[in-house]
Amino acid sequence: MKIKSKMIQLLICLLMLSSASAESTKASVAKVDYNEIDDLLVQVVLNMAGNEELGERFYAKKEAAKAAQEKMQSAMMRGEAFDPRAAAAGMMHDDSDQKKVDQLCQKHLLELIERVFEDRYEIIFKDEYRSSLLFTRGAIDDVTMTVKQELLKALPSN
């Protein structure tokens, strides 16, 4: 009887220790895969009130870059000469509107994560805002799908 009682006490103690250690390993760092949400994030941000003009310019430049790319590829496929400098100028997308959209997206994503996850995660952005690589020695939760759902909810009804 004493052995059974001691074994039960030992098992209970081990269960308490294992549950305490499981709680201490909960992730405090989360991962968002920007490749999954980038287009959706841009769409939500550019559909917000006050960003209509920026959205029109941004999408016009995006379409112009796509057209320049297609024109260059078509000329290459037909063996025609093309001006690489003109093609490159048409594809440049590193301008002030792009930087403004990136900044607005980063701001909106920070606000969304703070609202949805409150103080559950410590958020650290690296040099590149869209970098999905985080270094940690612990577990990483991927919250991409939750963020994607929130962005989908924020899209205007068409």
Side-chain angles (χ1 to χ4, degrees), residues 1-13:
M1 278 271 204
K2 284 186 177 183
I3 294 176
K4 282 186 181 179
S5 140
K6 293 277 185 187
M7 290 295 280
I8 291 173
Q9 289 176 350
L10 180 64
L11 285 173
I12 290 172
C13 184

Side-chain angles (χ1 to χ4, degrees), residues 26-32 120-121 139-144:
K26 287 184 181 174
S28 63
V29 177
K31 178 181 88 165
V32 174
R120 183 171 174 195
Y121 299 107
I140 296 177
D141 284 353
D142 187 349
V143 296
T144 304

Side-chain angles (χ1 to χ4, degrees), residues 26-85:
K26 287 184 181 174
S28 63
V29 177
K31 178 181 88 165
V32 174
D33 184 353
Y34 293 106
N35 292 324
E36 281 283 320
I37 65 167
D38 186 44
D39 292 336
L40 196 53
L41 181 60
V42 169
Q43 194 175 357
V44 166
V45 166
L46 292 179
N47 279 305
M48 293 178 146
N51 293 342
E52 298 86 2
E53 190 177 313
L54 175 62
E56 288 173 14
R57 285 193 318 266
F58 178 80
Y59 287 123
K61 288 177 184 178
K62 197 171 183 179
E63 283 300 314
K66 184 178 177 182
Q69 173 83 21
E70 289 172 356
K71 182 178 176 183
M72 181 187 71
Q73 286 177 344
S74 176
M76 286 175 60
M77 296 299 283
R78 290 191 307 262
E80 297 174 358
F82 64 93
D83 182 8
R85 287 178 287 169

